[in-house]
Structures are given as structure tokens and as C-alpha cells.
Amino acid sequence: MALRTETEQAGMTLNLPPARITRAVCALLAIVFALTTCWLTPAGTVMAPSASADDATATDTTGTTNTDDKQRVTITIDAATPVVTASSGYQLRATVTNPTGGRLPAGKLNLATNVQHSFYSRTDIQDWSDGAENIPMLDGLAEADVPALDAGASASVTLTADKDTLARIITWGPKPVAVTYVVDGVSRARSHTFLTRSTDGLNLVETPALNLTVALPLTSSAWSIDENAMHDLLTNSSDDDQVVTAGDASVLDDARREAIAKHPKLQVVADPTLLTSEAKQASQSHSQSQQDDTAKDQAKDQQETARNLSSIALSGVMQPAGFDISAYNAHDNDGAYVAAGVERDDWNAETALGEYRTAKGDQSLSTGVYAWQGKANWSLASLTEAKKQGYSVVIANHEFDTGDDSTVHTGNMSVTTDEGDVTVLTQQRELSRLAQGKATSDDADAETSAAGRLARFVAQSAFYQMEQPYTSRNLLVCLSATADAATIDALMRAVEQSPWLNLTDLSTLAATDPYVSGDDALQLVQDDASLTAAQSSFQQQTLSTLANGRNGITRFASSVLLNGDGRADPWIKELLDTQSTIALHALGGDMKVAERMNVGATSMVDELMGGVVITPSESVTVVSETAKMPVTISNSYPYPVHVKVQSVTDSMEIVTSRQVETEVPAHGEAQVTFTIRVSTSGSTNARITLLDRNGTQFGDTQTTAITSVLRISDMSGFVIIGFAFLLGILGLWRQFNRKKDPDE
């Protein structure tokens, strides 16, 4: 007997089979879904095409072809309207590239959104960026033709959004946008980006803006050694400030200066050694302008760079040369740094401020002084060291605060150290990564371009304001030191056009109540920070190279230079100061700069020790038992030297005297003489080397060939030969004239 289910409907009891109930419910749900879709979908809607089963290449859930990444058709966002207002409209320009081996026929590029969708969590936003969130794109914005693409070809397409569709957005904030490339009804690629609607023209309650501080570190990654200036320093005792220069690549060309000047609320924190270097070059460029055309051009460039730097309103300075305080603490060997030429006073806050005043030419000026994070994260030990060196405020990168709070917080925390409280300004992770040209994840397909990252930045900042609209917060965003003019200008213009953001300065951020302090802050800070194995090895190698260079200078001063009256002391100080400048920049955390500085430190000592040389001499031919071998020593230094000259041969029969000492005048020559003694004919080489006063060799070895052609040179020799001749004659006469014995 079949069981039946009782259902009451309109006062009646119906006994229906379970299968019929299931079919009825499914039909009812289908009707409701169809009616809802028709009601929600307006005219002109562009639905994203789905992949055909007949298509040779299957597509994944994101709409991109499920093949090797290098063979996927790509969509790159070249430009997009960052903030949408009531009158701005929305435009997007994208490039479609065909990296496959075949030709793609003409297709379409669709632009769609969902005007009613709102993001409720940071996870939702990230999932959409990664293509992991399947949000229905119910509202078509635009469509454009894409021409046929040969293998390796690309096409640029501009899409202008339909104004009526934009007008249906009645809530402010980020909206999902899909850019879909369609060929023959099949989606071949899709990019997931955002448009952000401002409150302009919307009847909404205004909420307080989110405070945002945007900082730009002004440093150089092109520090290099001027070999001509170094040669002049070694031979003529010239000014040492020009040996280490900011390099040929100007860190503040006209375009970059104009971009910074257009946005006065951008917080520029400069390396003070960059300021003094450029100011020094500008002051000395007048004499160069009288030389050849190349020198005139160089002088003009230096003056222009210096003017650009002086015209920038700085918000503060960092530690000199961006000295890596965290790596210094991680290495935990102050003696190694001193041996390398870097004293603690070389990078403290007082020195940084002094460099700034010197560059500006006003010893009464004051500005903010900040310690910028190096390779390793700030630890309690490195924060203590920074405070001891006079830095009360430090700037940490976006990896310092590893907490995963549900909402963003003010980028200010107060950490108590043995030296006192330190204010740590922490960069907001996602916004800073985007500002520095990095995608939030490897799967964020729209964030491979600057325009795509900017769209995400604006959307993300809007969401942060929306998640806690009445909570006062101040976020820190730091641009990359290598950010170009276009990146700086685009980001700052987008921020300035975002009414939900309020730009502040570093002083305001530092004075803001910290979001965490005391024991709570200490829980977020590591006791010690360490470098990676590769970083630690490179650091050790750099310190060793620098120490060897400095030891070479001190050895030269004490064991080669003749400086009894102290006249050479200023020159030696210049050499040591230059070496310290080289070492300071080598330890600034930039590996490429460190490599150039290491080469410079080594070449400086090599050239210094190579300034006293043995003049190559011609080969010597010896025709008697003894002879003289003259050797000339030249000195290119501006001060006299006292050296030993040593000669050694590789023969026991042909030898020279071993050592001779001599003094060589400044920019002059001296000649010494070695005695050659021979006992047979033959040839050998004399290796002539220079020794310092302690007997340690330096400089290059010279080789002189010695050939011996021994001749009779006195009467005793002739007597011996004559006597031998007579004995020979007597022997022959006896052999022929003696009588033979009968028995023979």
C-alpha cells in the first residue's frame, strides 16, 4: 500500500504522492526565479556569455581559457575612471592580447556590472579580484568590437559606459566590473575590476571621511663611485664629497618634481645625504661650465637637479643613506660596523638633521626625523636601538603589522622600550601594496597594470570607510621610492577626488592616539628580527670587504706614507671620510648599491697602494762576476713615502742583493741599485717588489731578466789557463816519447 502525504490547502486536505509534491515544488521555484529575473533585469542587459561544449578549449569559472598561463588570452586595463560622480561618466581602455599560436577571429569586448551589489567584507572584494566570486553581471555598461588577432597580436579597445545604467547606481561605494572578451559567443578572457561611485548626486547621509596619509621616500638607488673624483682625491687631495654621487639617474627630474609639487599634501621624506650630495654638485658645477660641451651639459643637469630638490617642500628626513637599522640590530656586531667604517654617530637623528640643514644652508631649520624600516621587520631590540639613536618615530612597512583584524585601524602604535616610548607608523597592507605597484594576490587578474591597481585602491579605500563610517581612523600609505611621475600623480589625483578620504600629514598621524600601546603593543612586536640566510651572508661579505678597504688606508698611512710632520693628516682624514661615506651607503639596504660600493672600496685601496710603483726596467746582461741593477720608484701621491724594495731571483748561481730602503718625494721618483753576483753563465729573472715599513708586500711585482755571459777578467785567470795548457803539452810529449816496457 503506497504511503501518501497529507497537505492542507484552502481548508482542504489533499493526499498527494511524494513524487508529485517534489515536481510541484520544483516547478513553482522555476516560475518564481524566472519572474524575479525578468523583474530585476532591465532592457539592454548584457549577460556574460558561457562557454560552448563544442569549443575546443574549455573555460574555467572566471571565463578565462583553462590552458597554460603563457597561452591564455589576456586583458590588460590601460586606463579607467577611478571615481565615478554624477557627471563624470565611466570609461575604460583595455588591451586584448593573443599569445596563443593561432589566429583569433573578430570578437567583442563587454563591460558589465551589478548596480545593486554591495561588498560586505574584505574577503568578498578579494574573491572578486581573484575571480573566485561568482557575482551575476546583470547590468551591461558597454560593448565594443575587437578586430581579428593574429598570433602574438594585440588590440586596444575603449569602452564608454552607458549613462542610463550608471544613473541606476543609487548607493555609493565599490561595484564589481567584469571586462569580458568574447569570440563566437564564447568567453575567451575576463578581467575582474571595480568602479567606485562617490556620494556626489546621491541623496545620502554624509559620514566623516577616513583620514589617509600618503608618504613618498625620496632616495636614490643609483648611488655610485665617480672614478675621476676618486683619482683626483688620491693624487691631488681634492674634495672627497664628490666621490660618492647619486648617479646619472636623477631622482627628481622635471616630471617627478612637477608631480610632487602639484600635490602639496604628499608627505616627502628624503635621505639627507641625497640633499647634501646634490647641493654640493650644484655648487661646484659653475667651474665645470667653463669646460667642454659635455662638462657643460653635466653641470647644467646637476644644477637643475639641485633646484628641483630645493623646490620640494619636505615633510621630514630619514636616517642618512637610509642606513638599515634593522639589519644592524639583526647582525648584532657593532665592532664589525666600526671596522667597516661606520660609527654610530654617522646615522643618528642629530646627524640626519645636520645634513638637512647643511643642504639647505640654514643651521636654524628644523624638520621631522623618521627612521625608515630596512630589510628586516622592526623588533623590540631594533626599536630600542632607533630610540637610542634619537628616533622617536619610525615608519614600518606593510609586513610589520601581521595582525588580521576584522577592520582596519589607525596606523599608529606606541611601543615601550628600555630607552622610552617609540611611535611606530605602520603602513596599511593592501593599500600600500597597491600604491607600490604590487598586486594584492597572484590571482588578481586586473591588478597586473597600474590602472587596474588604482581602481582596486580606490574601491578598497571606499570599503574601509564604509565598514566603520563613524570611527575616526588614520591610515598610512607609502609609495615606492622608485615611483615615477605618472604613478605619483595618478594616485594623488584619485585620492583627492575621493570625498570619503581626507589627506593628513605625518605629524598629524604621529600625534594621533595609537590604536594599541603598552603590553598589547609588545605582543605585536618580535623580540628580535633576523635576516634571511642570503641577506645575512651578503651583509657579512659587505662588512668584510669594507673592513679590508679601511685597513688598507690605515696601513698605508702608518707604514708607507712619510708623515713625520703631520702635513698629510688632512689628506688621510679625507680618505677615511670618503671610505666611511662609501660604507654608509653600502649598508643602506639596497643590494645593487652595496655591490657598487664594495667595488669602489676595493678599487680605492688598490689605486692607493698602486700610487707607488716600480718603473719597468730593461733586461740586464752581466759579463763579469758582479754588476749593478738600477731600479726606479715613482710616487704619484701629494706627500712623500718611505718604502723598501726587495729583489729575489730564482737561481742559485745568479743572485742579487735582497733589500734596499728609500724615500720617494711627492709626485717624484727615486732610484735604488741592487748588486748582481754571478758564478756561471746563464739567465734568470729578478722579481722586484715593494714592501711597507713592516715588511708587507704591496703593489705589483716587476720582473727583470738577467743574462750572464761570464768572461776572464783578471791576470790570475790567464795564469791558470796558461799553466793548464803547459801541463797538457807536457802530457802529450811524455805519451809519445816514453820508452815502452818489454812486457807491454
Side-chain angles (χ1 to χ4, degrees):
M1 180 176 176
L3 297 177
R4 296 180 180 273
T5 302
E6 292 188 352
T7 302
E8 290 188 0
Q9 184 176 5
M12 299 174 60
T13 300
L14 301 177
N15 294 325
L16 299 175
R20 292 182 61 188
I21 293 176
T22 301
R23 288 194 297 269
V25 171
C26 291
L28 180 61
L29 290 175
I31 293 172
V32 171
F33 178 79
L35 291 174
T36 303
T37 302
C38 293
W39 178 70
L40 291 175
T41 305
T45 296
V46 178
M47 301 295 290
S50 59
S52 170
D54 298 331
D55 190 61
T57 304
T59 58
D60 59 21
T61 57
T62 67
T64 56
T65 55
N66 191 17
T67 59
D68 184 80
D69 288 343
K70 294 182 180 179
Q71 296 298 317
R72 290 184 178 182
V73 178
T74 61
I75 300 174
T76 304
I77 299 176
D78 301 321
T81 305
V83 180
V84 178
T85 66
S87 59
S88 67
Y90 180 77
Q91 191 174 77
L92 182 144
R93 187 176 76 252
T95 298
V96 181
T97 303
N98 174 22
T100 67
R103 187 175 188 271
L104 291 174
K108 298 284 187 180
L109 194 65
N110 295 328
L111 188 66
T113 186
N114 188 324
V115 298
Q116 296 183 352
H117 185 83
S118 296
F119 292 101
Y120 292 99
S121 71
R122 283 182 281 176
T123 301
D124 292 342
I125 292 182
Q126 190 62 53
D127 286 346
W128 172 253
S129 293
D130 295 342
E133 181 78 4
N134 189 16
I135 301 174
M137 294 289 99
L138 303 176
D139 303 288
L141 292 172
E143 184 178 81
D145 294 329
V146 179
L149 298 175
D150 293 328
S154 60
S156 179
V157 180
T158 299
L159 298 162
T160 302
D162 177 65
K163 292 183 178 180
D164 292 337
T165 304
L166 291 177
R168 293 207 307 273
I169 301 177
I170 59 175
T171 58
W172 85 277
K175 302 296 179 184
V177 172
V179 186
T180 309
Y181 173 53
V182 182
V183 178
D184 294 334
V186 178
S187 172
R188 298 301 302 266
R190 175 176 288 185
S191 183
H192 303 79
T193 185
F194 302 87
L195 70 79
T196 304
R197 180 65 164 90
S198 73
T199 57
D200 177 54
L202 301 179
N203 188 20
L204 300 173
V205 177
E206 293 288 342
T207 56
L210 175 67
N211 293 320
L212 187 72
T213 304
V214 183
L216 171 69
L218 192 61
T219 63
S220 174
S221 60
W223 288 106
S224 59
I225 303 296
D226 187 329
E227 295 181 358
N228 292 330
M230 179 179 287
H231 179 73
D232 290 341
L233 170 65
L234 294 174
T235 57
N236 300 315
S237 185
S238 66
D239 195 340
D240 65 298
D241 286 349
Q242 295 305 297
V243 173
V244 181
T245 69
D248 295 333
S250 173
V251 297
L252 207 62
D253 54 24
D254 286 342
R256 207 161 186 246
R257 177 187 58 80
E258 291 173 2
I260 295 174
K262 283 195 299 185
H263 308 286
K265 290 192 175 181
L266 175 63
Q267 303 295 286
V268 180
V269 180
D271 168 12
T273 65
L274 176 63
L275 304 178
T276 53
S277 174
E278 297 295 349
K280 189 71 174 180
Q281 288 185 6
S283 66
Q284 295 185 352
S285 62
H286 295 290
S287 60
Q288 295 178 357
S289 63
Q290 305 301 320
Q291 301 173 12
D292 56 31
D293 292 339
T294 301
K296 290 180 180 179
D297 292 340
Q298 292 175 347
K300 183 179 179 181
D301 292 341
Q302 291 168 358
Q303 289 176 322
E304 184 66 25
T305 300
R307 282 195 295 268
N308 289 345
L309 283 170
S310 62
S311 66
I312 294 299
L314 298 178
S315 304
V317 292
M318 64 179 68
Q319 63 270 35
F323 180 77
D324 196 335
I325 301 176
S326 56
Y328 169 85
N329 182 261
H331 194 73
D332 195 23
N333 188 348
D334 182 67
Y337 278 76
V338 173
V342 177
E343 302 279 351
R344 293 173 58 83
D345 290 345
D346 293 336
W347 52 274
N348 63 21
E350 183 178 354
T351 300
L353 186 58
E355 294 260 12
Y356 168 76
R357 290 169 173 169
T358 299
K360 293 293 186 179
D362 187 347
Q363 295 301 313
S364 65
L365 291 178
S366 183
T367 189
V369 182
Y370 305 93
W372 207 279
Q373 181 171 327
K375 291 293 185 184
N377 286 343
W378 286 111
S379 64
L380 183 60
S382 57
L383 290 175
T384 303
E385 188 64 44
K387 179 65 175 179
K388 187 184 298 183
Q389 289 291 88
Y391 298 97
S392 297
V393 181
V394 306
I395 295 178
N397 67 21
H398 50 75
E399 304 299 339
F400 174 74
D401 181 10
T402 57
D404 189 18
D405 299 331
S406 58
T407 58
V408 294
H409 49 68
T410 292
N412 179 323
M413 57 187 293
S414 179
V415 179
T416 301
T417 72
D418 292 340
E419 297 293 327
D421 290 345
V422 177
T423 298
V424 182
L425 305 183
T426 60
Q427 301 176 35
Q428 204 288 317
R429 188 181 311 161
E430 284 75 22
L431 295 182
S432 287
R433 285 187 64 87
L434 292 165
Q436 293 169 15
K438 303 172 185 175
T440 55
S441 77
D442 294 337
D443 296 326
D445 46 40
E447 296 172 21
T448 58
S449 67
R453 290 188 294 270
L454 183 60
R456 172 68 188 276
F457 181 98
V458 173
Q460 194 79 24
S461 67
F463 176 79
Y464 287 153
Q465 197 282 339
M466 296 173 70
E467 66 177 351
Q468 284 187 313
Y470 294 100
T471 301
S472 178
R473 292 162 295 165
N474 193 330
L475 308 184
L476 174 63
V477 172
C478 290
L479 286 155
S480 168
T482 58
D484 57 21
T487 299
I488 295 170
D489 186 51
L491 178 70
M492 293 305 297
R493 280 193 296 108
V495 171
E496 291 162 356
Q497 293 171 7
S498 303
W500 60 88
L501 296 176
N502 175 49
L503 282 169
T504 66
D505 54 39
L506 285 170
S507 298
T508 301
L509 176 59
T512 303
D513 291 338
Y515 85 94
V516 65
S517 60
D519 292 339
D520 293 335
L522 290 176
Q523 292 179 2
L524 298 176
V525 182
Q526 304 175 41
D527 291 336
D528 292 291
S530 60
L531 300 172
T532 65
Q535 290 172 340
S536 180
S537 175
F538 184 81
Q539 188 83 348
Q540 183 62 49
Q541 179 184 355
T542 297
L543 289 169
S544 177
T545 300
L546 295 171
N548 289 337
R550 193 168 187 83
N551 289 338
I553 297 174
T554 55
R555 172 193 164 199
F556 172 82
S558 62
S559 303
V560 177
L561 195 64
L562 192 62
N563 189 30
D565 56 3
R567 288 186 302 141
D569 288 347
W571 180 53
I572 293 300
K573 184 179 183 302
E574 285 184 5
L575 295 179
L576 292 173
D577 288 347
T578 298
Q579 192 278 337
S580 292
T581 302
I582 292 173
L584 187 66
H585 286 85
L587 298 170
D590 189 312
M591 186 172 292
K592 292 188 179 299
V593 171
E595 290 174 349
R596 291 194 292 270
M597 295 299 109
N598 286 342
V599 172
T602 301
S603 63
M604 180 180 181
V605 176
D606 290 344
E607 185 173 351
L608 181 65
M609 289 300 185
V612 179
V613 297
I614 301 170
T615 302
S617 58
E618 297 179 354
S619 60
V620 178
T621 300
V622 181
V623 295
S624 63
E625 291 181 344
T626 61
K628 299 295 183 181
M629 181 177 66
V631 175
T632 301
I633 314 300
S634 64
N635 173 21
S636 62
Y637 300 131
Y639 300 97
V641 297
H642 183 105
V643 296
K644 296 178 181 180
V645 188
Q646 177 177 276
S647 175
V648 178
T649 65
D650 51 11
S651 171
M652 297 295 292
E653 290 78 19
I654 304 175
V655 297
T656 65
S657 53
R658 182 57 61 92
Q659 285 186 4
V660 180
E661 293 191 31
T662 186
E663 293 182 6
V664 188
H667 298 301
E669 294 182 345
Q671 191 175 79
V672 297
T673 302
F674 289 91
T675 300
I676 303 175
R677 291 183 174 84
V678 299
S679 59
T680 185
S681 297
S683 62
T684 188
N685 290 320
R687 296 185 301 277
I688 306 171
T689 56
L690 292 172
L691 308 177
D692 61 23
R693 291 192 290 274
N694 294 325
T696 304
Q697 180 182 338
F698 70 93
D700 295 331
T701 298
Q702 290 293 336
T703 301
T704 299
I706 301 176
T707 302
S708 170
V709 183
L710 189 60
R711 297 178 180 177
I712 303 302
S713 60
D714 51 29
M715 185 58 67
S716 60
F718 286 107
V719 171
I720 293 172
I721 293 174
F723 182 70
F725 180 76
L726 290 175
L727 289 176
I729 295 298
L730 180 61
L732 290 174
W733 179 84
R734 182 176 179 277
Q735 182 68 24
F736 288 107
N737 292 281
R738 73 182 180 87
K739 293 181 179 181
K740 293 184 179 180
D741 188 59
D743 296 333
E744 292 180 337

